[in-house]
Amino acid sequence: METTKKAAVTRRAILAAGSVLAMPGILRAQTADTIKIGFPVPLTGPYGTEAKDQVACAQIAIAEFNAAGGLGGRMAELLVRDDRLDPGEAATRTIELIEKDHANFIVGSLSAAVQLAVNNVAKQRGIIYNSISQSDQIAALPDWSKTTFHEAMTPHLTAGAVGRYAFSHYGKKVVFLQADYAYGHEMVDGFKAVGQSMGIEVLADLRHPLGATDFSTLLPRIQSLKPDILVLANFGRDQQISIKQATDFGLKKTTKIVAPILLYTSRIAAGEKAFEGVVGGSSYYWGIEATTPSAKALNDKYRAANEGRVPSDYGALGYAGVRSLLDAAKRAGSVETDKVIAALEGAKYDSYKGPQEFRACDHQSVQSVLIIESKSGGSSPYDVFNVIGTEAANADNLLSCKDEGHV
Amino acid sequence: MDGLTPDLLVLQLFTGLALGAIYVLLALGMSLLFGMLTVVNFAHGAFYMLGAYAGLVLLGMGFNFWACLIIAPIIVGSLGMLCERFLIRHLYGRGIDYPLLLTFGLSYVLVELVRIFFGTSGYPVDTPDILQGASDIWIGYFPTYRLFVIGVAVVVLTALWLFLERTPYGLIIRAGARDPQIVRILGIDVARVWLVVFGIGTGLAALAGLLAAPLQGTSPEMGSTILAESFVVTVVGGMGSLVGAVVAGLLVGVVVAMTSLFAPEMAQVAIFALMAVVLLVRPQGFFGRAGLMS
């Protein structure tokens, strides 16, 4: 035992000595400061599954960057923190990441309220924050600042894309059932904005409390209204339960169920029977790899690291959020805030889902929206959606910078 | 409010009764434990959740849903008996807040254990094939599975009533609740009676959880919302009263259903408004004995 240990040490020493001789650059890398990316996400709580996938994907971006030699030899490191889906907790963790751990950038969060809290901390300290969850507010004043970037889609964009597709394909008589908080309200506003121009008729606009477990008392009324479309503007478990119970009540026979965002993880958790035929929007689905080389590259790396599984939509945003900043740091040749901002503004990129661009005026990522339909009987456990439409990246579909208060 | 037909009203009323059936099953166990042992079981929601997860494991092992309906409550009921024997028993006669705090803590432990072993994301539970889809009940279509839940509630109620009122063991339980000292003097092991009662109470919670699983899937937190609701049911019906649990359970279901029809956002508040009104007018609840909490 003793001899093998000694042998191993010797071998390592020789290797190290050899590499120092061969590539002096690496020695410098180990001594220079690492680039630290703070990553507050809700590892515990209802979105734990999505958050863990965001970490797994972000690690891929870090590994890629380091394998390619980093920033002139400076390696990157991900500092993962649990924000428990709580704005206060997230703010505390972000302050620690910046003040104590000296993080160069912040990426992360998985809720509208939490990302605003993180953004607030980062902007006060002049640290770049790239948010990876949905919000209209973050790209608008007064929350926005020059250090604020938004890699994820906005509710306005998502609901608009899904609405344009659904109202033209399934009918104009609509019932909304929304979770009674910012997410539900912003999404329904988005649907109504496009719906107005398309002449939809809103039969009812119902609200349910966040975290509801029974929707049965709402369903007979909805059924009696005979809508063409039922829009479920809720998220996570609320979405799973409401879709399942609507299915049990036989609502799908007469009505198309539409959700602003159809989560890959929710669909996996709820099973194929309940979600069958439900249409919704998504920022990413692994199935686009057939036509999108950058998606294939991410999926392959994820599969290799995660026993053949595929990245989820929100997971992939973790990858993109980290990669955008590291790529910009490379282009800028620096991690200095102002130089990286300059490298990000107006940057066109294709890191995982086709062409994207950081709009210069509000730092919002202009990107495509996928319209997906849940299916049953897929060829693998991961084969859960059909991509039935793609709205290409188009800045006209976003709120204009003027509407957001930018001059 | 257009399109409000009599059929819709009746269907809505029926939806409320179906929802009430689950409240009844859960409140029944809670009320049983309070009436017999004066234990306010705050871990009742956790046992409800364990029932769903026990069913999930059993289904995964290849048992069918019907077998699970029997086995899962037995497993969870046994676990409840272990908790009674080793934790709660030591607190009898110490005032109502001791077991309350203990079971409150116990619920956190149980939920966390499930998170550790089963993850946070929850699992779907398929409705058994034969109960899928909706059935025609004259006034409209209604999910077959919810009809089945009402049926189970009726069967369980009848069985529990027969057991308590018509069997010698039921007589001992009722006597033990009234005056444990005399029962002990008569040579009956009261500790064993309480053990059995705790097993039945937690088993009923598990059955309710398993029945709820095909409606909403499982999640470690599934017991916390419904715990508050069934606590309201127990209070409205009268702490410790089984008849009260049934009447109040159905009433709360109907109140939620009717509020949902006219003002959906008020449905959740309506439950607590009902409780406030009942407490003002009749502090001991519909069928409760006054002064039991003091």
Side-chain angles (χ1 to χ4, degrees), chain A residues 2-58:
Chain A
E2 191 56 31
T3 45
T4 39
K5 206 192 257 173
K6 227 179 240 163
V9 169
T10 326
R11 195 157 47 233
R12 207 180 299 144
I14 293 170
L15 276 173
S19 60
V20 169
L21 287 175
M23 293 175 284
I26 288 185
L27 186 68
R28 267 208 310 278
Q30 278 161 350
T31 51
D33 279 348
T34 49
I35 301 171
K36 290 175 181 163
I37 299 184
F39 203 71
V41 283
L43 293 171
T44 51
Y47 303 152
T49 315
E50 289 79 13
K52 283 181 195 111
D53 204 44
Q54 292 187 319
V55 173
C57 288

Side-chain angles (χ1 to χ4, degrees), chain A residues 185-197:
Chain A
H185 305 167
E186 284 189 352
M187 284 297 181
V188 169
D189 287 348
F191 275 106
K192 283 183 175 165
V194 292
Q196 224 161 25
S197 62

Side-chain angles (χ1 to χ4, degrees), chain A residues 158-159 161-163 165-167 170 174-177 191 228-234 239 243 255-262 277-281 371-372:
Chain A
T158 314
V162 175
Y165 187 92
F167 301 147
Y170 307 122
V174 185
V175 169
F176 292 102
L177 177 56
F191 275 106
D228 299 318
I229 297 173
L230 168 62
V231 175
L232 291 176
N234 50 20
Q239 186 188 56
I243 289 179
T255 301
K256 192 77 178 172
I257 298 180
V258 168
I261 303 178
L262 214 45
V278 177
V279 165
I371 311 296
I372 54 178

Side-chain angles (χ1 to χ4, degrees), chain A residues 43-49 52 180 203 205-209 211-225 237 240-241 244-245 247-250 253 268-271 273-274, chain B residues 1-4 8 11-12 15-16 19 120-127 129 132-134 141-143 146 213-222 225 229 253 256-257 260-261 264-265 268:
Chain A
L43 293 171
T44 51
Y47 303 152
T49 315
K52 283 181 195 111
D180 199 1
L203 301 179
D205 182 358
L206 308 170
R207 293 180 177 195
H208 69 79
T213 52
D214 197 282
F215 297 85
S216 65
T217 55
L218 298 168
L219 292 166
R221 170 106 189 100
I222 293 173
Q223 206 154 20
S224 74
L225 291 168
R237 212 162 274 151
Q240 291 167 31
I241 297 175
K244 180 152 181 27
Q245 295 185 354
T247 310
D248 288 343
F249 268 81
K253 284 178 206 141
I268 296 287
K273 270 186 202 155
Chain B
M1 196 70 195
D2 50 322
L4 191 65
L8 178 62
L11 191 63
Q12 195 71 20
T15 313
L19 187 63
T120 53
S121 65
Y123 295 88
V125 174
D126 280 332
T127 314
D129 284 337
Q132 271 185 9
Y141 282 88
F142 200 73
R146 282 179 194 260
L215 296 175
Q216 46 166 272
T218 68
S219 71
E221 299 83 16
M222 65 189 285
T225 338
E229 287 160 356
V256 172
S260 299
L261 195 53
E265 53 269 43
Q268 223 50 29

Side-chain angles (χ1 to χ4, degrees), chain A residues 112-127:
Chain A
V114 174
Q115 68 182 298
L116 295 177
V118 172
N119 180 53
N120 197 36
V121 169
K123 86 176 173 193
Q124 284 167 1
R125 288 160 180 78
I127 296 288

Side-chain angles (χ1 to χ4, degrees), chain B residues 1-25:
Chain B
M1 196 70 195
D2 50 322
L4 191 65
T5 62
D7 272 6
L8 178 62
L9 266 179
V10 179
L11 191 63
Q12 195 71 20
L13 189 73
F14 199 73
T15 313
L17 291 176
L19 187 63
I22 290 191
Y23 291 146
V24 168
L25 280 176

Side-chain angles (χ1 to χ4, degrees), chain A residues 4 16 25 30 63 76 156 159 199 238 339 349 371 378:
Chain A
T4 39
Q30 278 161 350
H156 182 85
D238 285 350
K339 287 182 184 162
Y349 61 106
I371 311 296

